[in-house]
Amino acid sequence: MYKFLKYELHEGVCTITFNRPDFYNAFNDGISYEFQDALKNASKDDQVRVVVITGEGKAFCSGQDLKSARDDDDKMFYNSLEKRYNPIVRAMRNLPKPIIARLNGVAAGAGCSLALAADMIIAAESAKLVEVFINIGLVPDSGSSFFLPNLVGYQKAFELCAMGTKISAQEAYAMGIINKVVADEDLDEAVKSYTNYFAKAPTKSIGMIKKMLNKAASSSLDEMLEYEKYSQQIAGSSEDYKEGKQAFLEKRKPEFKGK
């Protein structure tokens, strides 16, 4: 289906794997546009209840493939972000389903940004995060300047971005960036424990929770109270709410369909 990605769907779990292991899954034009398309497919497919993004081989994603950068383009950076990375980050945040980053190795530069754009990060002990942009005289992009200070505060975000400090999975966990860290050999099982939950969860409600939390970053309390009122009415009209209520009354486990 794709040249630079693996796209697999099994029992509600869509796994998208960056598949350029010889280049540490660095992004070129091809993988960027394929990833946009894969996210679009996952968003539209009702069978998809949760998305996992990960990398083939030793790395999660090492960011932009500098060898494929178009130095003849005077607006290379602007155009690259406008057409390639920004649509990806927006698609990830707007996807009405949970996204789990399976952090199997280093996530550097834009690769770090993509991990931060996920809803949860489950990491192997050997994984590392690094805002590597400063090492070649660039600034963070692909959402890092938004996600990082919201996660760790201004001062720590400044250090990580301005000094290109590489942090381990355990350090990132202590900062609140990562949800869970496990031994490398236990990574698949740890991710599976989350996908098992989300594959049977009320997907529509989770998509709305995601939208609410994103909106809260730029809203007042009064605005969120109003938005909660609006959102709860929609959630209360869903099939999953009817099933959840009936299961509660019947003292059984609900069977959510994600509708």
Side-chain angles (χ1 to χ4, degrees):
M1 185 175 180
Y2 296 112
K3 181 179 179 181
F4 301 112
L5 294 177
K6 291 180 182 178
Y7 185 98
E8 302 164 294
L9 176 60
H10 180 68
E11 295 182 350
V13 183
C14 173
T15 303
I16 303 173
T17 306
F18 307 135
N19 192 27
R20 299 187 74 213
D22 293 343
F23 302 92
Y24 298 100
N25 300 316
F27 265 44
N28 57 13
D29 284 1
I31 195 171
S32 301
Y33 293 121
E34 286 187 0
F35 191 33
Q36 289 182 35
D37 187 70
L39 290 169
K40 188 182 298 182
N41 287 335
S43 179
K44 293 189 298 184
D45 190 346
D46 289 340
Q47 293 184 64
V48 175
R49 307 282 290 277
V50 55
V51 175
V52 175
I53 59 172
T54 191
E56 186 70 23
K58 296 180 179 180
F60 176 78
C61 175
S62 58
Q64 171 64 31
D65 186 346
L66 295 178
K67 291 181 180 179
S68 70
R70 293 186 54 193
D71 293 330
D72 59 331
D73 182 356
D74 290 340
K75 297 183 69 177
M76 177 186 72
F77 297 102
Y78 181 94
N79 289 332
S80 179
L81 290 169
E82 178 72 15
K83 297 176 181 178
R84 297 171 58 219
Y85 291 104
N86 290 357
I88 287 172
V89 174
R90 289 190 179 104
M92 289 178 66
R93 300 309 287 184
N94 291 329
L95 191 80
K97 300 163 188 180
I99 299 177
I100 297 173
R102 175 188 176 273
L103 205 65
N104 58 302
V106 68
C112 180
S113 300
L114 295 181
L116 297 179
D119 300 303
M120 299 185 76
I121 303 176
I122 313 302
E125 282 180 332
S126 63
K128 291 178 172 57
L129 293 164
V130 54
E131 296 283 1
V132 75
F133 302 95
I134 194 65
N135 292 345
I136 54 172
L138 294 179
V139 298
D141 63 28
S142 307
S144 272
S145 66
F146 175 82
F147 298 124
L148 204 54
N150 279 315
L151 286 165
V152 303
Y154 172 84
Q155 281 79 9
K156 196 63 183 179
F158 179 83
E159 175 195 336
L160 296 177
C161 293
M163 299 183 70
T165 307
K166 184 183 290 186
I167 56 173
S168 68
Q170 286 288 2
E171 289 172 319
Y173 175 77
M175 294 177 197
I177 297 173
I178 285 175
N179 296 86
K180 189 170 187 176
V181 181
V182 297
D184 289 25
E185 61 269 22
D186 296 331
L187 182 58
D188 286 335
E189 193 61 33
V191 171
K192 193 171 186 293
S193 70
Y194 287 94
T195 57
N196 283 347
Y197 167 77
F198 285 117
K200 297 179 180 179
T203 311
K204 186 172 182 178
S205 295
I206 289 170
M208 292 174 70
I209 289 170
K210 182 171 175 175
K211 191 172 182 179
M212 291 169 76
L213 296 181
N214 283 324
K215 183 177 175 62
S218 59
S219 301
S220 68
L221 172 60
D222 282 339
E223 288 171 331
M224 287 311 300
L225 289 173
E226 289 300 309
Y227 192 68
E228 286 176 352
K229 183 172 63 178
Y230 162 80
S231 299
Q232 195 68 292
Q233 185 59 41
I234 295 174
S237 301
S238 68
E239 292 181 23
D240 280 342
Y241 166 69
K242 295 173 186 176
E243 165 62 13
K245 179 181 177 182
Q246 193 62 32
F248 175 81
L249 294 174
E250 295 175 2
K251 298 182 180 179
R252 60 175 173 81
K253 191 172 182 179
E255 296 181 11
F256 296 120
K257 304 298 182 184
K259 299 179 181 179

